[in-house]
Amino acid sequence: KNQVEQSPQSLIILEGKNCTLQCNYTVSPFSNLRWYKQDTGRGPVSLTIMTFSENTKSNGRYTATLDADTKQSSLHITASQLSDSASYICVVSARGANNLFFGTGTRLTVIP
Amino acid sequence: GAVVSQHPSRVICKSGTSVKIECRSLDFQATTMFWYRQFPKKSLMLMATSNEGSKATYEQGVEKDKFLINHASLTLSTLTVTSAHPEDSSFYICSARDQIAGAIAKNIQYFGAGTRLSVL
């Protein structure tokens, strides 16, 4: 069964601190994995996309890693800002399939 | 980057009325668009796949007569919630897939900003 699991469900950190979000998946055959940021009441916005051959991808203060062997990905946020408060969703696409498989997200709250 | 516009962003309606939500790809053509529903603190749930010029494909458990989808052009898909009831209140999000080969290979979907539907 194709599944995407994220941890932790929620996280509270102080402004300026770093954090790492986890994503484990069982989607097969794997095509690509994306991390999205979703602000409350808004649609998801893509942060990174990685295919099978990519291990790391950065987008500003966001760095995603992918281990296709263990089927794990992480999203590292450095020097967090209050505006980073949002839900972060891991989305995995299967090769040849139309659908995307969504994780339940990690709700990040950055406090001053 | 590709932009998907969704309108309206918020709608409040009376029970029994119908509500139409529009999803437009502004700078690319999309033969396929997707409609999702999201409950509070939950992830997106795919409702249906909208195919330009043909019937939509609905996910199991989604009533096609309740949620009418029309994809008449390569840049516009609409979702009509018919005879809305309070239990239809939710956050609806559309996405569109760019037709270019690279995007298709990666199954890249671009999301709209969502529509908050409240049925009184």
Side-chain angles (χ1 to χ4, degrees):
Chain A
K1 186 178 178 181
N2 293 314
Q3 286 186 314
V4 179
E5 294 183 350
Q6 290 186 242
S7 62
Q9 280 190 334
S10 62
L11 182 62
I12 301 174
I13 62 173
L14 291 174
E15 185 180 10
K17 297 295 184 182
N18 304 336
C19 67
T20 301
L21 314 180
Q22 300 291 340
C23 174
N24 297 334
Y25 62 92
T26 58
V27 177
S28 183
F30 176 83
S31 175
N32 59 78
L33 182 148
R34 274 158 279 182
W35 283 94
Y36 284 90
K37 177 184 179 185
Q38 185 179 20
D39 293 311
T40 301
R42 306 290 293 176
V45 175
S46 180
L47 296 176
T48 62
I49 177 170
M50 288 185 293
T51 57
F52 185 87
S53 59
E54 297 174 297
N55 301 120
T56 303
K57 184 159 283 188
S58 292
N59 177 3
R61 295 180 296 102
Y62 301 104
T63 299
T65 65
L66 173 65
D67 185 332
D69 291 331
T70 62
K71 298 186 177 181
Q72 295 179 326
S73 176
S74 66
L75 179 69
H76 187 73
I77 305 174
T78 59
S80 61
Q81 301 175 358
L82 297 179
S83 58
D84 292 333
S85 296
S87 287
Y88 291 83
I89 306 172
C90 175
V91 182
V92 182
S93 174
R95 226 174 329 117
N98 227 6
N99 293 2
L100 302 178
F101 297 93
F102 290 80
T104 51
T106 293
R107 177 70 202 177
L108 174 66
T109 303
V110 181
I111 58 176
Chain B
V3 177
V4 173
S5 174
Q6 190 172 339
H7 179 80
S9 59
R10 177 161 189 134
V11 58
I12 301 172
C13 68
K14 291 183 179 179
S15 185
T17 60
S18 295
V19 175
K20 179 185 285 188
I21 304 170
E22 292 187 348
C23 181
R24 294 180 185 273
S25 55
L26 295 187
D27 50 1
F28 66 97
Q29 293 185 327
T31 54
T32 307
M33 291 186 175
F34 304 86
W35 287 96
Y36 296 86
R37 184 172 180 175
Q38 187 177 32
F39 293 101
K41 298 184 180 181
K42 299 292 184 182
S43 193
L44 282 71
M45 290 173 42
L46 180 65
M47 297 174 64
T49 302
S50 172
N51 304 300
E52 186 266 335
S54 64
K55 291 181 180 180
T57 304
Y58 289 83
E59 295 299 299
Q60 190 174 9
V62 178
E63 299 176 56
K64 60 181 180 181
D65 296 328
K66 172 76 172 175
F67 299 99
L68 299 179
I69 292 173
N70 183 279
H71 194 157
S73 77
L74 285 173
T75 59
L76 174 64
S77 174
T78 61
L79 169 68
T80 301
V81 183
T82 61
S83 187
H85 290 284
E87 57 264 31
D88 297 325
S89 298
S90 190
F91 192 55
Y92 294 87
I93 305 175
C94 73
S95 71
R97 193 170 67 183
D98 197 328
Q99 269 188 266
I100 64 173
I104 290 177
K106 294 183 179 180
N107 195 11
I108 296 176
Q109 294 182 25
Y110 300 95
F111 289 87
T115 297
R116 169 71 57 193
L117 171 63
S118 299
V119 185
L120 304 178

